Amino acid sequence: MTTPLGKKSTIADIRSRFDKDVARFSSLETGQATTIDAPLAMALITKAAISCTKNIRYVLDIGCGAGNNTIRLRQSANHDFNVDLLDLSAPMLMKAAERVQQLNGGALRTIQGDFRSVSLPNSTYDVIIAAAVLHHLRDDEDWLQAFQKIYDLLAPGGSVWITDLVFHEHPAVQAMMWDRYGDYLVSLGDAEYRDKVFSYIDREDSPRPVTYQLDLLRSVGFDTVDLLHKNSCFAAFGAVKRRE
């Protein structure tokens, strides 16, 4: 990463890119191709949500994209639930709502905006999904406030499940894993494709180690935290809020 936090892409910049990229986020079979093990990560957070939260009535999908994770959750849960779809991009929300409503008969609400600033009801959601979105958080305070908000929004006994790009604590390990990720991107396209992906990650993203995020989940109140999967620079993990 060469772009300092203060010069990363703005919310408007990120929204503009995703407005033009709906098709890439609309495949259940592949998920997001640039994400290593995307289908596996989606399956694992879905199964974990159902395993840990038996009565799913209300779901929040943060950075829902075209709705893949909510669709997978509905398919696996085999019952309807109410869902709030939240994303920066209006075209993404339109596509997500269209796809989710074809499968799920529960109430659906679309919310366009930045998760950090939108008003949402505390102690409400049985499951929160955050897939490939939290890496847009910036400094430590930003991360802390976002994770605290997630904890506060969950109903007692509810759970949050995250899949995301992650970095590593040791620079040598980060360099090794980044090279490995680069090789993966070349296998999808070529060196030019790898450099394109690396360029927008550098401009837009500010990921943290999965160890940092697991510690943060505990610090905001979760006492049950689990790492489901990690491969190179991608991880799937989550936490369950204690029942009162």
Side-chain angles (χ1 to χ4, degrees):
M1 288 288 187
T2 59
T3 304
L5 289 183
K7 295 186 178 180
K8 294 279 186 180
S9 297
T10 66
I11 292 299
D13 294 332
I14 296 169
R15 180 190 301 118
S16 177
R17 186 172 75 80
F18 283 101
D19 282 350
K20 303 168 186 174
D21 213 9
V22 175
R24 185 162 67 94
F25 291 85
S26 300
S27 171
L28 280 176
E29 288 70 32
T30 62
Q32 185 180 349
T34 56
T35 299
I36 296 175
D37 290 345
L40 174 60
M42 187 190 306
L44 288 173
I45 66 169
T46 297
K47 291 177 181 179
I50 293 168
S51 297
C52 294
T53 309
K54 299 299 183 184
N55 185 20
I56 300 176
R57 301 158 299 175
Y58 204 168
V59 173
L60 172 64
D61 191 341
I62 303 170
C64 66
N68 284 342
N69 287 279
T70 293
I71 290 168
R72 183 65 79 202
L73 182 62
R74 172 59 184 81
Q75 288 175 336
S76 299
N78 201 31
H79 67 80
D80 291 337
F81 46 73
N82 300 329
V83 59
D84 285 350
L85 300 172
L86 191 157
D87 203 276
L88 291 174
S89 169
M92 285 287 190
L93 283 170
M94 289 176 61
K95 175 58 74 172
E98 173 191 329
R99 296 173 73 216
V100 170
Q101 286 175 323
Q102 291 175 356
L103 181 69
N104 183 53
L108 181 146
R109 183 170 64 147
T110 58
I111 305 164
Q112 184 182 3
D114 184 339
F115 166 71
R116 296 169 296 185
S117 57
V118 297
S119 179
L120 296 165
N122 281 347
S123 302
T124 296
Y125 300 101
D126 301 300
V127 170
I128 295 177
I129 304 166
V133 62
L134 297 180
H135 60 260
H136 291 131
L137 297 171
R138 299 305 187 212
D139 61 18
D140 287 338
E141 186 62 24
D142 202 18
W143 280 87
L144 175 60
Q145 290 180 3
F147 274 53
Q148 186 65 64
K149 185 171 184 176
I150 288 170
Y151 180 84
D152 293 342
L153 292 174
L154 280 170
S159 58
V160 58
W161 301 100
I162 298 164
T163 64
D164 218 334
L165 173 71
V166 296
F167 272 14
H168 299 82
E169 293 190 6
H170 198 289
V173 175
Q174 174 58 30
M176 175 191 71
M177 290 297 192
W178 203 239
D179 285 344
R180 187 170 184 271
Y181 182 37
D183 291 341
Y184 169 78
L185 293 172
V186 170
S187 75
L188 294 179
D190 52 26
E192 183 178 354
Y193 177 71
R194 175 200 62 203
D195 295 345
K196 177 183 175 181
V197 174
F198 280 179
S199 177
Y200 73 66
I201 289 175
D202 185 59
R203 291 193 312 272
E204 289 187 5
D205 303 343
S206 40
R208 295 298 179 96
V210 66
T211 46
Y212 172 95
Q213 295 181 65
L214 294 173
D215 287 344
L216 194 55
L217 286 166
R218 292 193 187 279
S219 76
V220 300
F222 292 102
D223 59 346
T224 304
V225 175
D226 273 299
L227 176 63
L228 304 178
H229 179 70
K230 183 181 178 299
N231 187 350
S232 187
C233 296
F234 294 90
F237 54 100
V240 181
K241 186 173 182 177
R242 181 182 298 175
R243 292 188 182 277
E244 294 178 348

